[in-house]
Amino acid sequence: MTAYGRALRAMLLAFVLLSYTACSAEDFYRAEGGPSIFVTSASSNVETGKMGSVFVEIENRGQVTGLEEKRAPETEDEKMLALLEGEMEMEGSQAVGIEARLYSRDERLEVLSRSQMAGSLSAGERLDLPMEFSVRAEESASAGIYPMVLEVSYERLEDVQVTGNPLYPEIYFQRAATKETISIEVPVMTGARLVISEVKGSISPGRSSDLDMIIANSGDLPAREVQARFIVQPPFNSTGEELALGDIEPGKKAIAEFPLEVDREADPGEYALVCQIQYISGDRNQDRKEDLAALVEVKAPTGLRAILIIPIVAIVLTLLYLGGAGKRLRLPRIRRKRRW
């Protein structure tokens, strides 16, 4: 065997990973401590009655605090092997093959996602990106903080054994499956809730006028880039296009001014008017589209317009009556005296 072949064989033996239950010779050390997973942040964009996401960030805060001596080295070769084993045991704080699963402790919240794979974390490392879990909140779930459980499983280095020739050591790694259960609290929001709080304006049959619709945000998240337009049905007709209302913060209002025309034949009374709203809820680009309904009163004509209409109608009715009865109506004869 060439020198290159012997060197390659030594490298392979040094880095081969083998699981074992027992070895012929007892090793020198056992590490104290190991990996420990912490949740550094838990946030969500879950809204009541809707599906959203829970974002969880984790960090490995574990460490190896020391070495427990299992047996003392007796020869110079064993001293060299023990030194190498101790160095490798001190690297036992890494969590390998992390898998995380989220559970809800409240039946009003349902976790839809499966387990998330998060790779490996050495001591002091955290994930570059948070893990994302899809969660649906029922309509009965009010805004508040909800308890959830993050179950994290991974493999940890349990023991290292170094044997053989110190120049060409054989290294055996024993790994153990580990599971941690971490309680977290997840916020659930009401979300942006747009409602029509008031309708201003007076409309009558045959007239075109501006109608002001006051749109309020009664939720706890902002409504971004709000767009509004009327969905009109007879007796209404709108010539207006979609209106941009901007952002509506929680507790704030915006005015949507629509030109509206009412048919001449429309009867006075209350009519339903639908305003379609499109917006982004919160800061995580969740598009929403809702139809808001309001009752609008169509009033009978008043003032000068009503005064002019009533005499005209009366005259028309009188002429129609006289036209139909003229044949039966006879004027009295006037007798004139003869002059002699």
Side-chain angles (χ1 to χ4, degrees), residues 110-127:
E110 180 184 4
V111 180
L112 305 178
S113 296
R114 298 181 178 179
S115 299
Q116 303 290 314
M117 306 303 296
S120 300
L121 291 177
S122 298
E125 288 186 339
R126 64 173 60 191
L127 293 181

Side-chain angles (χ1 to χ4, degrees), residues 262-330:
V262 185
D263 293 342
R264 292 182 179 276
E265 294 79 11
D267 296 326
E270 289 187 335
Y271 293 85
L273 200 60
V274 177
C275 181
Q276 188 175 83
I277 302 293
Q278 186 171 354
Y279 61 96
I280 298 173
S281 179
D283 298 317
R284 297 194 180 273
N285 297 328
Q286 291 186 320
D287 291 332
R288 296 277 190 263
K289 182 179 289 187
E290 299 173 3
D291 291 340
L292 308 180
L295 288 178
V296 179
E297 184 181 5
V298 176
K299 298 181 179 180
T302 58
L304 180 61
R305 186 165 178 263
I307 293 173
L308 292 176
I309 289 176
I310 293 174
I312 292 174
V313 172
I315 293 171
V316 171
L317 291 177
T318 302
L319 291 176
L320 290 175
Y321 174 78
L322 292 177
K327 296 181 180 179
R328 299 190 304 272
L329 185 63
R330 292 183 180 181

Side-chain angles (χ1 to χ4, degrees), residues 74-104:
E74 298 177 356
T75 65
E76 291 299 323
D77 285 354
E78 284 189 346
K79 289 181 180 180
M80 294 181 64
L81 294 174
L83 181 61
L84 178 58
E85 181 183 316
E87 291 178 354
M88 302 192 74
E89 290 276 9
M90 292 299 293
E91 300 296 326
S93 57
Q94 185 183 40
V96 180
I98 298 173
E99 182 178 355
R101 188 174 184 87
L102 187 66
Y103 296 93
S104 174

Side-chain angles (χ1 to χ4, degrees), residues 170-215:
E170 296 179 5
I171 304 174
Y172 300 88
F173 295 89
Q174 183 180 10
R175 299 192 180 276
T178 306
K179 184 177 292 184
E180 295 187 39
T181 301
I182 307 170
S183 296
I184 62 175
E185 294 182 336
V186 174
V188 174
M189 304 291 185
T190 302
R193 291 291 187 266
L194 297 184
V195 295
I196 298 175
S197 62
E198 188 180 1
V199 178
K200 294 182 179 180
S202 178
I203 53 177
S204 302
R207 292 182 58 188
S208 178
S209 57
D210 290 335
L211 194 68
D212 290 344
M213 191 165 287
I214 314 300
I215 299 174

